[in-house]
């Protein structure tokens, strides 16, 4: 049994978060205690309910996850959600500072609010909500879809190659999913998962390299609430660039807009009343795609981990952004009439773990899956005095710890750490357990290499990566946030083109400018190359934390950002 | 202090250094074609005649997954009858060592003026296609393809 | 001379006037003529420079290839089925080596 923390809230989270687009979020503002009923309260419409979870990153138990304080939009996305953070986000969505929504959706007052409102997510809590919604709406009217990045991001998922989460998803009675980090378990494992079912593993945008043939089913049609719902799957199109291509050597990915158009046409001609794209493109890519590919009623977005408390309407398409790490469950009710969507109501339900009575079956399933690893997971390596998090366009405090670990443990001048969007947060005073370390490092290609690079090569790498995040055309973006750096400071003008964004590269150790022709020692991890040598990154970080015992991260002022 | 043995292949260093693997096939030290070279080649083939856009579609990925095998799909809107069909489609690359990539010769027997293959791309560049119909119409299309070391896998 | 082998995928049957996709693959290094070997010498160019597809002896599709075409070239194109017969595919490289493949098509 969990302790049911009772907290006073400025507005009932569900009532204001679960508000249909178009209705004022400020309409509901009564104070009271947050309960499971509050989270589930929903003004139902139509007969069809779509439920969406995404990017849970294998976090079976409730976690802290700090939303980004920096998430810059460039070009046409500037100032649009999800490129609104902190106080501006609260202002745009009329959310009261200090409220549960403020805690769930922004980084404002994160530490204080995390202490007040507790951890979020957990599959047993998600299961409780899903079951309640199924009971309310009827099993035959509910479709549960997962947007990918479900099977990776924890020690137990790494050790079981996603089997722990797979069992949890099956228990949730998942209907379909798509993939991204799933592919880092290798082509054979993904095929095995896809073929085992019972849920559908969809990907319209993966082809065999040799004959350009479909590798996975592109779409599946479901009958729910008397309507035919075609779900088209879109895997992360840049997987072989952002992750090791050698793990899926015979497959070609890509956006494949034309193929998608054909899928939409074929779904419509097959009698679909509703066409849903279950996508792992990332929000900005999907916003552009919604304008270019007609006939999609709903895009369930993923990858960029954005949580947006309303459906974003682009022409006739609804874009849903359901956050990450199990923090949110999206509910979209559709009123389907005469073969089309006549109305909808959307709610982004925050999974406040302390307000929800966990589903006992799922609690047991999760506990059983974790049991063989319990001792490792609980091993306390040190403690933190600072809040540790990763998410944001530039170095998070947890990245600073990982970079410092590489600099010290691998004796290098410069450390590069990948800008993954996943990884859970720790509060000041929290123990740093091995589980906490693995939650930010559990990848199938963890080797921490030591290498040398000239200043010019290093700058070229940064320019290349910066273009992958700040190219004004979302279709030319790839990968995650900006690579995390240790030992180096720089200035970045995000509005410039490739080759001109990065300047003032400085070696922090000496304060001297990085010289183009000089060679520097560099450490990094999660290289996409095959046969990379070096210890796994979690060992490097564990040694560092064990050496330090207490981690304290000073504010990082080595990166100057302009042009935003 | 060096706690761990380290080794790395030269290939790794190259990749780290943002030099795309594609260059393995097309050696970067050699002169690349320039947009002017492509224009000269096109002038040679088409005599500088005016070209329209719209009916020719050149479909390539925005970002190459592997510069050694970048898919290229071409389709031209055409009735493909004896009276009016697509005679040829040529493809040019602005940043490879040689400006011309291929020329297709279609016939009405094809039924559809479409074809796919895979090409090498040495660096980020524009790829340009030109279609010529049996009635003497010219159509052109352009695709920018980025060759990158990639990001960090969100 | 390097050995080449070709594979093709053609639907065995088609209806009259149906437009079918023909897919071909041939193994060939497509040596671009700009690559240096380990001793620093340029490896001479040897690419397949022409691919021809004929149906019942009549050329229906041809491709001229240059060094930017990938190794082990893949080529697909379309064909409007009119009568039963046989495709002959021919690949010719710079050194004059010719590779051929055949595929039957039954038109109902």
């Amino acid at each position: 049994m969990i302790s049911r923390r009772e907290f006073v809230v400025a507005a009932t989270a569900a009532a204001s978060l679960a508000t249909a687009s178009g209705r004022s979020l400020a309409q509901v503002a009564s104070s009271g205690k947050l309960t499971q009923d509050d989270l589930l309260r929903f003004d139902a419409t139509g007969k069809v309910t779509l439920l969406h979870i995404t990017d849970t990153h294998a976090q079976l138990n409730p976690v802290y996850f700090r939303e980004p304080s920096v998430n810059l939009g460039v070009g046409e996305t500037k100032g649009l959600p999800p490129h609104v953070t902190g106080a501006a986000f609260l202002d745009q969505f009329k959310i009261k500072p200090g409220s549960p929504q403020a805690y769930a959706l922004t980084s404002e007052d994160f530490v204080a609010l995390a202490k007040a409102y507790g951890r979020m997510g957990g599959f047993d809590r998600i299961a409780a909500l899903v079951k309640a919604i199924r009971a309310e709406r009827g099993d035959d009217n509910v479709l549960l879809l997962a947007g990918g990045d479900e099977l990776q991001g924890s020690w137990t998922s790494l050790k079981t190659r996603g089997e722990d989460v797979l069992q949890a998803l099956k228990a949730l009675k998942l209907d379909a999913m798509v993939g991204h980090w799933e592919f880092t378990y290798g082509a054979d494992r993904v095929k095995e998962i896809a073929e085992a079912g019972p849920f559908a593993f969809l990907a319209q945008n993966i082809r065999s390299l040799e004959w350009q043939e479909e590798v996975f089913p592109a779409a599946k049609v479901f009958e729910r609430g008397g309507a035919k719902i075609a779900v088209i799957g879109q895997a992360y199109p840049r997987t072989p660039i952002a992750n090791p291509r050698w793990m899926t050597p015979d497959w070609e990915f890509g956006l494949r807009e034309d193929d998608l158009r054909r899928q939409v046409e074929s779904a419509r001609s097959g009698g679909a009343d509703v066409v849903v794209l279950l996508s792992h493109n990332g929000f900005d890519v999907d916003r552009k795609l919604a304008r270019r590919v007609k006939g999609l009623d709903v895009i369930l977005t993923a990858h960029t981990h954005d949580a947006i408390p309303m459906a974003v309407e682009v022409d006739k398409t609804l874009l849903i952004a359901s956050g990450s790490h199990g923090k949110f469950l999206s509910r979209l009710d559709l009123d389907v009439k005469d073969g089309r969507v006549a109305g909808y109501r959307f709610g982004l339900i925050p999974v406040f773990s302390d307000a929800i009575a966990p589903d006992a079956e799922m609690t047991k399933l999760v506990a059983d899956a974790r049991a063989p690893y319990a001792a490792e997971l609980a091993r306390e390596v040190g403690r933190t005095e600072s809040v540790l998090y990763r998410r944001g366009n530039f170095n998070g405090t947890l990245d600073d710890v990982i970079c410092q670990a590489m600099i010290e443990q691998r004796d290098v001048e410069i450390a590069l750490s990948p800008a993954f969007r996943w990884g859970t947060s720790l509060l000041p005073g929290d123990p740093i357990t091995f589980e906490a370390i693995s939650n930010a490092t559990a990848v199938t290609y963890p080797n921490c290499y030591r290498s040398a690079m000239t200043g010019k090569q290093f700058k070229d790498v940064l320019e290349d990566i910066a273009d992958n995040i700040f190219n004004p055309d979302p279709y030319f973006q790839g990968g995650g946030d900006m690579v995390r750096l240790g030992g180096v400071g720089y200035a970045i003008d995000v509005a410039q083109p490739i080759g001109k964004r990065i300047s003032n590269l400085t070696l922090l150790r000496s304060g001297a400018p990085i010289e183009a022709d000089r060679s520097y020692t560099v450490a990094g991890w999660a290289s996409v190359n095959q046969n990379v040598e070096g210890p796994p990154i979690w060992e490097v970080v564990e040694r560092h934390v064990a050496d330090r015992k207490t981690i304290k991260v000073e504010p990082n002022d080595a990166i100057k950002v302009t042009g935003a | 202090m060096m706690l761990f043995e380290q080794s790395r292949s030269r290939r790794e260093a190259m990749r780290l250094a943002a030099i795309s693997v594609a260059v393995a096939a097309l050696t970067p030290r050699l002169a690349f074609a320039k947009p002017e070279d492509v224009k000269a080649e096109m002038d040679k083939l088409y005599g500088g005649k005016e070209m329209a856009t719209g009916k020719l579609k050149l479909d390539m990925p925005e970002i190459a997954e592997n510069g050694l095998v970048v898919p290229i799909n071409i389709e031209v809107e055409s009735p493909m009858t004896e009276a009016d069909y697509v005679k040829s489609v040529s493809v040019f690359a602005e940043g490879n060592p040689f400006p011309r990539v291929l020329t297709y010769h279609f016939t009405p027997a094809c039924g559809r003026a479409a074809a796919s293959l895979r090409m090498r791309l040495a660096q980020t560049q524009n790829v340009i296609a030109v279609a010529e119909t049996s009635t003497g119409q010219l159509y052109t299309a352009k695709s920018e393809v980025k060759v990158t070391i990639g990001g960090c896998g969100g | 001379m390097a050995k080449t082998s070709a594979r093709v995928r053609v639907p065995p049957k088609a209806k009259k006037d149906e437009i079918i996709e023909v897919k071909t693959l041939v193994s060939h290094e497509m040596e671009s003529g700009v690559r240096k070997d380990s001793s620093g010498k340029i490896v001479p160019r040897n690419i397949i420079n022409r691919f021809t597809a004929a149906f019942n002896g009549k050329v229906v599709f041809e491709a001229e290839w240059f060094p930017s075409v990938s190794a082990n070239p893949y080529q697909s194109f379309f064909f409007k089925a009119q009568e039963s017969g046989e495709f002959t595919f021919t690949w010719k490289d710079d050194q004059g080596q010719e590779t051929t493949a055949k595929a039957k098509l039954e038109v109902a």
Side-chain angles (χ1 to χ4, degrees), chain A residues 424-445:
Chain A
T424 56
S425 308
L426 294 178
L427 304 184
D430 277 355
I432 301 176
T433 59
F434 181 71
E435 177 166 30
I437 293 170
S438 64
N439 277 346
T441 56
V443 300
T444 53
Y445 48 109

Side-chain angles (χ1 to χ4, degrees), chain A residues 209-213, chain C residues 7 9 23 25 74:
Chain A
L209 200 56
E210 191 167 51
W211 291 109
Q212 301 287 302
E213 284 166 347
Chain C
R7 288 180 291 158
R9 287 204 176 172
K23 296 177 174 182
L25 262 178
Y74 168 88

Side-chain angles (χ1 to χ4, degrees), chain A residues 327-374:
Chain A
K327 280 179 75 174
F328 301 96
L329 169 69
S330 275
R331 171 173 173 178
L332 179 66
D333 280 14
L334 298 175
D335 184 12
V336 183
K337 275 189 191 130
D338 306 323
R340 61 179 201 92
V341 176
Y344 75 91
R345 203 152 284 149
F346 172 68
L348 180 70
I349 304 172
V351 185
F352 284 102
S353 65
D354 291 339
I356 301 166
D359 175 73
E361 280 172 58
M362 188 67 88
T363 304
K364 182 175 187 313
L365 189 152
V366 169
D368 289 349
R370 288 169 57 88
Y373 310 96

Side-chain angles (χ1 to χ4, degrees), chain A residues 180-181 209-210 212 237-238 240-242 245 252-255 258 408-411 418-421 449-451 453 457 461 464-465 467-468 475-477 479-480 527-529 532-533 535 543, chain B residues 1-9 11-19 21 57 59 61-67 69-71 73 75 112 118 144-154:
Chain A
H180 168 202
W181 274 91
L209 200 56
E210 191 167 51
Q212 301 287 302
R238 311 298 178 210
I241 304 165
R245 193 174 67 227
E252 198 179 275
F253 290 63
L255 270 165
D258 279 344
E408 292 181 20
Q409 300 291 319
R410 304 243 51 193
D411 188 25
F420 300 141
R421 291 189 178 88
Y449 60 84
R450 188 179 193 279
S451 180
M453 238 189 222
Q457 288 171 334
V461 169
D464 209 84
I465 295 171
D467 195 60
N468 274 325
Y475 279 17
F476 285 88
Q477 295 168 5
S527 163
V528 296
N529 295 301
V532 175
E533 290 183 23
R543 281 177 209 228
Chain B
M1 175 179 72
M2 256 262 287
L3 287 179
F4 304 104
E5 277 305 305
Q6 51 104 8
S7 94
R8 97 201 123 73
S9 64
R11 198 184 183 82
E12 158 102 337
M14 297 281 282
R15 186 72 185 274
L16 282 168
I19 298 163
V21 288
K57 200 153 86 180
D59 182 25
E62 299 76 18
I63 309 178
E65 293 174 13
N66 177 355
V69 280
V70 184
N73 303 295
E75 171 127 37
R112 204 174 140 188
R118 292 191 277 267
E144 185 189 354
V145 184
K146 184 165 136 179
V147 178
T148 173
I149 55 158
C152 296

